[in-house]
Amino acid sequence: MALGQGICMAAAVAYACYRSMTAFVLCAAASCVYPVFYEKQWRKDQLRKLELQFKEAIQIMSGFLSAGYSAENAVEASCRELERLYGPGEMIVREFAFMTGEIKMNRTVEEVLQNFAVRSGLEEAERFAQIFQIARRSGGRLVSIISRTVSVMEDQSQVKEEIRTMTASVQFEQKVMSFIPFFMIVYIDMTSPGFFQMMYDTVLGRIIMSCCLAVYALSCYLSRKILDIRVA
């Protein structure tokens, strides 16, 4: 799918900037790297989804710990609750089911939480695993420490969601603006045929269009970087 999108973008660039089959072949060959960027964005979206699910999972787990469950039983009970909440196919459900299986094979909760943090790459999971390990080994106030940790992580997650909500409209505008130059060229071609012909038939015109394409690509890159706001 990503390769198909890349070829479509190559066709749009070749039509708008060069009107050449040779340019399309070259752009299509260059678009083979697009799946790499697509996968990076897909992983980012999946990580964000897993982050929200993990926040819900630790809230459920904290509730079971407060109800008197042991840490091992709290993980298993949380898995059943998450399955009712999200369904058996969701990422967090599969992860908690895997952790439950590891605990039944005599792995400690601290180990399975740390392994989950490493597999997922979630910073929140890493911090939670470290705090859980310290609280478990220190003994005594495990429930209160975990409850406080969950509360702090929930506040941080809320701040992240507020930032994403505030930038969502701007991100949508950025995506729309990315297509405007192509629509403008098509519109001018339809209303004034031959208006851009000198840009495609002369060497100077091709150089100018190549410079415009470079500026366009740079602007798209910078706009994405500006809107990529991270909360530590």
Side-chain angles (χ1 to χ4, degrees), residues 66-139:
S66 300
Y69 282 64
S70 66
E72 292 77 9
N73 290 335
V75 173
E76 185 176 359
S78 298
C79 179
R80 293 194 298 267
E81 189 67 25
L82 289 168
E83 186 173 355
R84 285 194 290 267
L85 183 62
Y86 293 111
E90 284 295 331
M91 292 180 290
I92 194 65
V93 178
R94 296 198 303 267
E95 288 292 344
F96 263 71
F98 181 73
M99 287 191 285
T100 300
E102 285 190 312
I103 291 172
K104 290 180 179 179
M105 295 175 64
N106 296 324
R107 300 286 301 275
T108 65
V109 178
E110 299 94 305
E111 288 178 335
V112 298
L113 286 174
Q114 186 61 43
N115 289 340
F116 166 72
V118 172
R119 287 197 311 274
S120 65
L122 279 177
E123 295 180 4
E124 291 79 2
E126 177 68 27
R127 288 197 293 267
F128 181 78
Q130 292 175 354
I131 293 172
F132 187 91
Q133 183 177 10
I134 295 171
R136 187 81 180 274
R137 290 183 177 180
S138 63

Side-chain angles (χ1 to χ4, degrees), residues 12-223:
V13 170
Y15 174 81
C17 299
Y18 302 105
R19 301 287 171 87
S20 168
M21 182 58 67
T22 302
F24 169 70
V25 172
L26 294 175
C27 291
S31 68
C32 291
V33 301
Y34 178 72
V36 177
F37 298 99
Y38 180 89
E39 182 183 10
K40 184 178 180 181
Q41 182 61 42
W42 179 82
R43 286 180 180 276
K44 185 177 178 180
D45 294 339
Q46 291 293 96
L47 195 62
R48 178 189 172 189
K49 181 179 179 181
L50 184 60
E51 178 186 336
L52 295 175
Q53 292 179 352
F54 178 70
K55 181 193 73 172
E56 187 70 30
I58 61 175
Q59 288 176 342
I60 294 173
M61 184 176 172
S62 176
F64 283 117
L65 290 172
S66 300
Y69 282 64
S70 66
E72 292 77 9
N73 290 335
V75 173
E76 185 176 359
S78 298
C79 179
R80 293 194 298 267
E81 189 67 25
L82 289 168
E83 186 173 355
R84 285 194 290 267
L85 183 62
Y86 293 111
E90 284 295 331
M91 292 180 290
I92 194 65
V93 178
R94 296 198 303 267
E95 288 292 344
F96 263 71
F98 181 73
M99 287 191 285
T100 300
E102 285 190 312
I103 291 172
K104 290 180 179 179
M105 295 175 64
N106 296 324
R107 300 286 301 275
T108 65
V109 178
E110 299 94 305
E111 288 178 335
V112 298
L113 286 174
Q114 186 61 43
N115 289 340
F116 166 72
V118 172
R119 287 197 311 274
S120 65
L122 279 177
E123 295 180 4
E124 291 79 2
E126 177 68 27
R127 288 197 293 267
F128 181 78
Q130 292 175 354
I131 293 172
F132 187 91
Q133 183 177 10
I134 295 171
R136 187 81 180 274
R137 290 183 177 180
S138 63
R141 302 175 55 195
L142 174 65
V143 175
S144 60
I145 292 174
I146 297 303
S147 298
R148 175 60 181 168
T149 302
V150 170
S151 177
V152 172
M153 293 177 67
E154 183 179 0
D155 292 340
Q156 185 185 44
S157 178
Q158 186 176 358
V159 172
K160 288 183 179 181
E161 287 305 309
E162 288 177 357
I163 292 175
R164 287 169 181 149
T165 301
M166 287 187 292
T167 59
S169 60
V170 182
Q171 289 176 347
F172 178 75
E173 291 173 4
Q174 184 266 333
K175 291 179 181 179
V176 172
M177 292 299 295
S178 297
F179 293 101
I180 291 298
F182 298 99
F183 288 129
M184 290 178 62
I185 291 175
V186 172
Y187 174 76
I188 293 174
D189 275 345
M190 294 176 62
T191 56
S192 302
F195 185 83
F196 284 125
Q197 198 59 41
M198 63 179 296
M199 306 300 291
Y200 307 122
D201 294 340
T202 62
V203 175
L204 180 60
R206 292 181 182 276
I207 293 174
I208 292 174
M209 293 303 286
S210 297
C211 292
C212 291
L213 178 61
V215 172
Y216 169 77
L218 179 61
S219 65
C220 290
Y221 173 78
L222 290 178
S223 62

